[in-house]
Amino acid sequence: MRQDFWLTWELTKREVAQRYRGTLLGVLWPVLYAVLFLAIFSFVFTIVLRVRWGQEGAGVATSSVMIFCGMVPYLFIAEIMGRSPATILGAANLVKRVRFPVHLLPVVTVNAGLLIAAINLVLLLAFAFVAGEANAGALVFMPLILIPLYVFALGVGWLFSAVAVFFRDLGQIAPVLVQMMMFLAPVFYPSTIIPQDFLPIFDLNPLTYFVEALRDALVGRFDALLWLRMIATYGIFAGLGWFVFHRLRSAFGDLL
């Protein structure tokens, strides 16, 4: 167990270093990407489409903070769903080693994505405090939302990476699925404008909980019971992902 922990740590560091090796900005690229993404969507949804936040409508700063709350979990999930199908396919040399713990490869992908999500969360908190949209409780509650988000991502990582070995079209389907999840969750608009008849569809989207929970945590609201329920639910999902990965593991070497 301890050996797996240190191996995961070293592989995660190598994964992050390799992603940005040779670039001018290095790990600042994810920060720049998040800022540009926020600026574009804030302009489109707040200025052009004039999406209203609150009964009387909110200013650009408030709307940007709300959109940023949606972006943090979305960018993380999009990262994991986009990269997971290639995790095993791109590591044939490691998979074919008899004693290598292949189940750690999806964990490394998730850990690298979590690092970027943590950076984005720090940016969100800083922006929210400067804009006067956060209170002290956000410093405690918002990082807690990353726990069920991480557990959900582990399930996606194990499931997608294993299934993609047998069904390689998953690498093409995953980006489409991510886009569907983005628009069928209140990432760039408030949940109050969703028609009542369609709310059950949005509630089935895992992204919806994380977006709404971050917005609530921003102002000090935290539903501990729902949070524990989400950890249990996504814990079961992660267990399912692990089970599928374990059952398919023996065939990886023959198909790569």
Side-chain angles (χ1 to χ4, degrees), residues 2-250:
R2 184 175 181 181
Q3 183 179 3
D4 284 357
F5 174 82
W6 287 112
L7 179 59
T8 303
W9 172 252
E10 292 300 323
L11 289 174
T12 299
K13 289 195 298 184
R14 190 182 72 171
E15 171 75 10
V16 173
Q18 286 181 342
R19 287 189 188 184
Y20 306 106
R21 180 177 298 166
T23 62
L24 293 176
L25 297 180
V27 293
L28 291 179
W29 269 116
V31 176
L32 179 61
Y33 177 75
V35 171
L36 290 176
F37 205 79
L38 175 63
I40 292 170
F41 278 93
S42 295
F43 173 75
V44 171
F45 283 89
T46 303
I47 306 299
V48 179
L49 298 179
R50 298 184 180 180
V51 173
R52 296 171 63 87
W53 297 83
Q55 294 181 351
E56 299 180 357
V60 175
T62 299
S63 299
S64 297
V65 170
M66 295 297 103
I67 290 174
F68 207 167
C69 284
M71 284 175 48
V72 170
Y74 163 69
L75 291 176
F76 177 53
I77 292 176
E79 168 92 0
I80 302 309
M81 293 182 69
R83 290 184 178 271
S84 291
T87 298
I88 301 300
L89 293 174
N93 58 326
L94 294 177
V95 173
K96 293 180 179 180
R97 293 182 181 179
V98 178
R99 300 190 62 182
F100 184 81
V102 180
H103 64 278
L104 296 182
L105 294 177
V107 180
V108 170
T109 300
V110 174
N111 286 351
L114 182 67
L115 175 62
I116 305 304
I119 293 174
N120 287 337
L121 185 63
V122 171
L123 288 175
L124 168 59
L125 282 167
F127 183 29
F129 275 107
V130 170
E133 298 294 334
N135 62 29
L139 296 172
V140 177
F141 297 136
M142 294 187 78
L144 290 178
I145 308 302
L146 292 182
I147 297 175
L149 182 60
Y150 179 77
V151 175
F152 172 71
L154 282 178
V156 171
W158 279 319
L159 185 63
F160 276 39
S161 61
V163 172
V165 177
F166 297 83
F167 182 62
R168 303 197 179 193
D169 288 356
L170 183 59
Q172 307 304 317
I173 295 173
V176 178
L177 183 59
V178 168
Q179 292 297 311
M180 291 175 60
M181 291 178 64
M182 179 184 72
F183 286 109
L184 291 176
V187 176
F188 303 115
Y189 51 84
S191 58
T192 53
I193 70 173
I194 301 173
Q196 194 71 25
D197 292 341
F198 294 98
L199 279 176
I201 298 175
F202 285 77
D203 289 338
L204 287 174
N205 187 345
L207 190 55
T208 298
Y209 164 73
F210 299 117
V211 173
E212 292 293 271
L214 279 178
R215 287 173 181 159
D216 286 342
L218 194 66
V219 293
R221 292 195 301 266
F222 182 74
D223 189 334
L225 184 60
L226 180 58
W227 179 74
L228 290 172
R229 192 185 309 156
M230 290 298 104
I231 291 178
T233 300
Y234 294 131
I236 294 172
F237 173 70
L240 175 63
W242 161 257
F243 175 77
V244 171
F245 188 96
H246 181 69
R247 290 298 299 270
L248 299 180
R249 163 69 180 91
S250 59

